[in-house]
């Protein structure tokens, strides 16, 4: 097999289509830096977090030190990177675990982005630098137990009392909820949906961790309870008018998922490839059988195609030309592709494929959450369908 | 304090190495190249000492145009300025040391740092050669050092212990794993790197006296052998480990 080994060396199994050639030196350096960080510092800890159903919140500071939190935002301690640089970062983080990418997505694209885009100068100065350093973790509360795909059905209310605001209601499925210093909470007021910057030590705010998850276990998911939670007038995000504001934040985070899903898929493919070369059955490596090669080839197709799709969206975003339905297409396509790769990869690993010793089942389970959050696959089909037909079929 | 760190671009430790068609060089196609890991310790040491006081860190490399990579990496980590002495031919250690010494003679540095060795050719010689050529004192295999009153106190790793030596500035140190755990570049560092000065000029290589004539793969691993079972096998196992494998 030594000859096969050397012949294989000519192919970069991580980058079959030479997509790297389309990245500039800076994007490559950022990518390599995150890749090394993930494999040396995070991957050794991920299986344990996954098993325990948690993650060490201190990891936020490590990510902050590298400048990855809110990296694509400008000012307030953020680096102002390109969308592609943010994308390659999401890919490498999710090659580690979807939970890591979720932490970064929620922090940078949901919580920080909401403040950066819709906040007052005071809110930005108070929160963004600390959040960029990972000293303050943020969460983003839009979903409720009875309002997921249809956030307009939300019941959380914001009531004016003098100059104060008082929030009442319950948010559900909120990533980082129990480890957050600050929550961006969306609530209905008389004049429409508003966003609020809520320090989590505000009386009337509490968070309860969701237990028993079988997916995205290396991530904290919580219920947020707002029980007469009283906030000063300046807690309101002044520039956010209506549901369009939180939806624009989701569009940012979704863009990161388009890349991230390919990271999870790549990790599954690499794991399957390596395993198939080492595992012998009927006196040959299983990689030498056509059925296995068909699986591996299909995985290479999916990973390569998804990578190119992500890059195209990144270039559009950097040119300021990206449209929400294009991001929907990317999320729909790449998460589905990644799930397919994960499932096939698992079969290649046989019994070992169901353990935490290999990343495959962990990714496969994680991707079920990724398929659902930030707009379900069905909702993104409706978005793309709406875009091409001009007919909205949401209700 | 002004430091220069001499760094080398080497194949990634994880790369699967293939011998080129000429039979005496590494085929670079498909191989990822990185900043030599020992040089990372040296860069980290220079940055730590810069951060503790005033100073400037210059990184220097002798190599092909591609070595710009590892200089940019060093700039991203926090070095202030980079210098590439370009060459198109591969050269032996002394020839490289002469190129570095010729350049450093022109500029004043307090500290000249190297990694203890480059992981590609394992030579462990260029640092000491540069010291000799510049007529400077040196300490090799340094795990940690401090600078005070114009002199360096360096901890050297020796078999089974540590040796502490004092060397006056300016001096040459070669650094190994120890107190200087390399940092990760920050995103801002990476983005700032492209705006930092990076000069390229031709290297004045010395003459090479040795030529790499052949490279060979290590022998294929032999199959294992079972020498016996239970405690009866122990004496024979010990004998083999001592006499054949030479490991105890
Ligand atoms: C691990 C995890 C983390 C999360 N983190 C956050 C967070 O940080 N912040 C936050 O606000 N939310 C978060 N969410 C919530 C997530 O965004 C919602 O779960 C998602 O929007 C779907 O809502 P739902 O679960 O209520 O499903 P539902 O909306 O009840 O949907 C159930 C099913 O019905 C389908 N469906 C719904 N409407 C239609 C329709 N019109 N046509 C066809 N099919 C339809 C859906 O596609 C889905 O298949 C998280 C969820 C998970 C699992």
């Amino acid at each position: 097999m030594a000859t096969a080994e050397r012949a294989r060396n000519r192919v970069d199994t991580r980058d079959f289509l030479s997509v790297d050639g389309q990245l500039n030196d800076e994007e490559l350096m950022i990518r390599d830096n995150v890749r090394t960080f993930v494999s040396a510092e995070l991957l050794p800890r991920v299986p344990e977090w996954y098993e325990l159903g948690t993650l060490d919140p201190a990891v936020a500071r490590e990510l902050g030190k590298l400048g990855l939190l809110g990296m694509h935002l400008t000012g307030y301690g953020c680096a102002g990177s390109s969308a592609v640089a943010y994308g390659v970062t999401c890919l490498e983080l999710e090659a580690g675990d979807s939970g890591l990418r979720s932490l970064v997505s929620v922090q940078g694209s949901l919580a920080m982005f909401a403040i950066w885009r819709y906040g007052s100068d005071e809110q930005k100065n108070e929160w963004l630098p600390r959040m960029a350093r990972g000293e303050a973790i943020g969460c983003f509360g839009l979903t409720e137990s009875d309002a997921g795909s249809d956030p307009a059905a939300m019941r959380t209310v914001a009531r004016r009392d003098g100059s104060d605001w008082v929030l009442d209601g319950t948010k559900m499925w909120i990533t980082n909820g129990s480890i957050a210093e600050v929550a961006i909470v969306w609530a209905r007021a008389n004049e429409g949906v508003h966003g609020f910057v809520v320090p989590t030590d505000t009386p009337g705010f509490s968070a309860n961790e969701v237990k028993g998850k079988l997916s995205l276990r290396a991530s904290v998911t919580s219920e947020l309870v707002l029980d007469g939670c009283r906030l000063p007038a300046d807690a309101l995000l002044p520039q956010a008018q209506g549901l369009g504001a939180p939806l624009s934040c989701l569009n940012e985070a979704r863009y990161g998922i388009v890349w991230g899903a390919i990271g999870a898929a790549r990790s599954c493919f690499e794991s399957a490839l390596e395993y198939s070369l080492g595992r012998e059955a009927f006196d040959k490596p299983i990689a030498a059988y056509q059925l296995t090669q068909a699986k591996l080839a299909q995985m290479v197709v999916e990973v390569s195609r998804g990578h190119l799709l992500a890059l195209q969206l990144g270039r559009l975003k950097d040119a300021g030309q990206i449209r929400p339905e294009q991001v929907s297409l990317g999320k729909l396509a790449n998460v589905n592709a990644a799930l397919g790769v994960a499932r096939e990869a698992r079969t290649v690993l046989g019994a070992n494929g169901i353990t935490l010793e290999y990343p495959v089942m962990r990714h496969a389970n994680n991707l079920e959450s990724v398929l659902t959050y930030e707009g379900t696959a069905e909702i993104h089909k409706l978005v793309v369908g709406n875009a091409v037909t001009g007919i909205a079929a949401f209700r | 304090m002004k430091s220069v760190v001499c760094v080398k671009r080497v194949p990634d430790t994880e790369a699967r190495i293939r011998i080129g068609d000429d039979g005496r060089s590494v085929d670079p196609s498909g191989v990822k190249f990185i900043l030599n890991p020992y040089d990372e310790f040296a860069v980290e040491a220079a940055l730590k000492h810069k951060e503790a006081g005033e100073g400037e860190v210059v990184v220097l490399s002798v190599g092909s145009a591609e070595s710009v990579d590892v200089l940019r990496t060093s700039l991203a980590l926090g070095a202030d300025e980079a210098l590439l002495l370009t060459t198109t031919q591969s050269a032996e250690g002394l020839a490289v040391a002469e190129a570095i010494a010729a350049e450093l003679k022109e500029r004043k540095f307090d500290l000249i740092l190297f990694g203890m060795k480059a992981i590609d050719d394992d030579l462990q010689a260029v640092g000491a050669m540069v010291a000799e050529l510049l007529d400077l004192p040196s300490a090799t295999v340094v795990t940690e050092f401090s600078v005070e009153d114009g002199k360096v106190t360096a901890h050297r790793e020796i078999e089974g212990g540590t040796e502490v030596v004092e060397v006056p500035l300016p001096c040459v140190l070669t650094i190994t794993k120890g107190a200087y755990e390399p940092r990760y570049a920050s995103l801002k560092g990476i983005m700032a790197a492209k705006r930092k000065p990076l000069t390229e000029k031709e290297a004045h290589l010395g003459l090479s006296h040795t030529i790499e004539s052949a490279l060979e793969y290590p022998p294929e691993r032999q199959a294992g052998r079972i020498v016996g079972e239970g405690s009866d096998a122990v004496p024979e196992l010990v004998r083999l480990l001592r006499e054949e494998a030479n490991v105890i």
Side-chain angles (χ1 to χ4, degrees):
Chain A
M1 280 294 142
T3 350
E5 169 98 351
R6 285 200 270 281
R8 194 159 78 87
N9 212 8
R10 290 179 197 277
V11 172
D12 184 353
T13 51
R14 272 188 180 157
D15 183 26
F16 192 88
L17 269 188
S18 309
V19 180
D20 278 3
Q22 301 299 311
L23 301 177
N24 65 36
D25 289 348
E26 186 175 294
E27 288 159 352
L28 286 172
M29 205 192 279
I30 291 170
R31 196 272 313 269
D32 289 345
N33 199 45
V34 180
R35 183 181 280 180
T36 313
F37 174 72
V38 169
S39 69
E41 312 295 332
L42 300 181
L43 262 182
R45 293 187 272 168
V46 162
E48 191 188 336
W49 291 337
Y50 197 90
E51 183 140 41
L52 296 174
T54 186
L55 117 171
D56 181 0
V59 78
R61 283 171 193 258
E62 296 176 48
L63 293 162
K65 219 168 170 185
L66 263 72
L68 304 183
L69 303 175
M71 62 186 272
H72 58 308
L73 307 178
T74 48
Y76 309 97
C78 304
S81 80
S82 69
V84 170
Y86 177 51
V88 296
T89 298
C90 288
L91 189 152
E92 295 302 330
L93 287 169
E94 197 148 358
D97 192 90
S98 302
L100 300 170
R101 201 265 310 133
S102 298
L103 175 80
V104 170
S105 286
V106 168
Q107 179 81 350
S109 285
L110 294 179
M112 291 176 75
F113 180 81
I115 296 172
W116 181 84
R117 172 78 179 72
Y118 299 109
S120 64
D121 284 344
E122 293 73 29
Q123 289 166 339
K124 292 180 197 179
N125 285 320
E126 179 177 0
W127 290 106
L128 293 179
R130 278 202 286 150
M131 292 174 84
R133 288 195 298 269
E135 288 161 17
I137 295 179
C139 69
F140 183 89
L142 177 66
T143 304
E144 299 178 2
S145 55
D146 293 322
S149 298
D150 179 15
M154 76 168 68
R155 297 227 188 90
T156 299
V157 290
R159 174 168 57 79
R160 210 77 220 231
D161 184 28
S163 69
D164 289 351
W165 287 95
V166 180
L167 304 189
D168 278 289
T170 306
K171 296 288 172 183
M172 191 57 184
W173 306 114
I174 307 309
T175 303
N176 295 350
S178 318
I179 56 170
E181 270 78 31
V182 59
I184 306 301
V185 175
W186 301 93
R188 177 174 302 290
N190 285 336
E191 58 285 8
V193 169
H194 283 316
F196 296 90
V197 182
V198 186
T200 55
D201 58 3
T202 309
F205 178 99
S206 57
N208 307 306
E209 209 173 318
V210 175
K211 294 287 181 190
K213 283 185 300 170
L214 298 177
S215 167
L216 214 73
R217 289 180 57 75
S219 172
V220 173
T221 313
S222 312
E223 173 194 58
L224 308 183
V225 179
L226 302 139
D227 182 10
C229 181
R230 180 175 292 273
L231 299 164
D234 62 10
L236 180 84
L237 287 173
Q239 312 298 327
Q241 312 275 325
L243 261 185
L247 295 184
S248 76
C249 301
L250 292 172
N251 204 49
E252 287 293 306
R254 218 167 263 153
Y255 164 77
I257 297 178
V258 177
W259 286 88
I262 297 308
R266 188 191 71 198
S267 165
C268 292
F269 161 65
E270 286 191 289
S271 189
L273 175 63
E274 198 181 311
Y275 190 87
S276 69
L277 287 163
R279 173 74 181 177
E280 295 198 357
F282 302 98
D283 307 323
K284 273 201 297 193
I286 56 172
Y289 294 104
Q290 291 184 358
L291 287 177
T292 311
Q293 291 200 2
K295 292 177 187 177
L296 295 171
Q298 191 59 34
M299 291 181 213
V300 179
V301 169
E302 300 297 345
V303 171
S304 304
R305 185 157 55 192
H307 198 179
L308 276 180
L309 196 170
L311 182 62
Q312 165 65 2
L313 290 189
R315 296 291 181 227
L316 284 174
K317 192 161 162 55
D318 277 328
Q321 291 169 352
I322 199 165
R323 292 193 307 274
E325 63 269 23
Q326 294 172 325
V327 181
S328 284
L329 178 144
K331 199 232 169 198
L332 175 64
N334 280 7
V335 178
N336 268 328
L339 262 169
V341 169
R343 195 161 297 148
E344 278 291 52
R346 208 219 57 71
T347 66
V348 173
L349 272 76
N352 277 312
I354 70 159
T355 67
L356 249 183
E357 200 173 317
Y358 294 88
V360 177
M361 187 93 167
R362 176 165 56 76
H363 283 306
N365 282 0
N366 283 339
L367 287 165
E368 295 293 339
S369 287
V370 180
L371 185 68
T372 289
Y373 68 25
E374 307 278 347
T376 65
E378 292 77 9
I379 293 300
H380 291 303
K381 281 182 188 157
L382 294 175
V383 171
V384 174
N386 186 11
V388 294
T389 63
I391 306 168
F394 298 95
R395 53 180 78 245
Chain B
M1 198 172 59
K2 200 165 169 181
S3 314
V4 60
V5 188
C6 302
V7 300
K8 186 177 186 185
R9 181 176 184 265
V10 297
D12 192 352
T13 42
E14 283 174 26
R16 279 186 296 248
I17 298 299
R18 272 186 304 119
I19 298 171
D21 295 335
D22 63 3
R24 57 194 186 91
S25 63
V26 171
D27 179 351
S29 62
V31 175
K32 191 174 166 249
F33 286 83
I34 56 169
L35 173 59
N36 174 40
Y38 288 93
D39 300 345
E40 284 190 326
F41 298 133
V43 170
E44 182 64 31
L47 294 176
K48 279 265 165 60
H49 284 276
K50 171 184 139 179
E51 285 158 4
E54 293 277 284
E56 194 189 339
V57 176
V58 177
V59 282
L60 178 157
S61 189
V62 179
S64 63
E66 280 103 14
S67 296
V68 160
D69 287 4
V70 297
L71 291 175
R72 286 257 182 254
T73 303
S74 309
L75 292 173
L77 290 168
D80 302 289
E81 188 194 325
L83 177 62
L84 174 60
L85 303 178
T86 53
T87 158
T88 46
Q89 76 219 66
S90 79
E92 66 164 19
L94 181 57
V96 171
E98 282 171 352
I100 295 173
E103 178 62 32
L104 295 187
K105 225 180 310 183
E106 307 295 314
R107 307 167 55 141
K108 267 189 75 69
F109 288 100
D110 303 298
L111 275 178
I112 302 174
L113 303 184
F114 291 81
M116 177 190 83
K117 63 177 182 181
I119 60 158
D120 52 355
D121 58 19
D122 268 353
L123 210 56
Q124 279 189 73
V126 176
M129 285 172 169
V130 168
E132 186 63 26
L133 291 168
L134 292 176
D135 203 15
L136 290 177
S138 72
T140 55
V141 206
V142 171
T143 55
E144 186 175 7
F145 65 90
S146 56
V147 186
E148 225 172 356
D149 302 332
K151 66 173 196 290
V152 166
T153 307
H155 291 238
R156 299 188 61 244
E157 190 177 270
I158 57 171
E159 187 70 37
T162 304
E163 180 185 62
V164 182
V165 296
E166 284 185 3
V167 207
L169 289 176
C171 65
V172 173
L173 303 176
T174 78
I175 312 293
T176 189
K177 193 177 172 65
Y180 306 110
E181 186 60 36
R183 66 192 65 193
Y184 287 92
S186 73
L187 188 66
K188 280 191 191 157
I190 293 174
M191 292 173 68
K194 63 172 182 279
R195 292 189 298 273
K196 291 180 176 173
L198 192 158
T199 317
E200 286 184 40
K201 57 188 200 184
E202 208 176 316
H204 295 292
L205 283 181
L207 225 65
S208 280
H209 303 279
T210 54
I211 308 163
E212 274 176 355
S213 54
L215 275 183
E216 280 167 21
Y217 292 108
E220 297 261 346
R221 276 249 296 272
Q222 302 292 316
R225 171 153 48 110
I226 293 170
V227 294
E229 269 178 38
S231 52
D232 292 349
V234 172
E236 176 65 359
L237 184 62
V238 170
R239 187 189 70 80
L240 287 171
L241 287 175
R242 178 169 295 141
E243 292 173 14
E244 267 189 29
N246 293 321
V247 291
I248 55 173

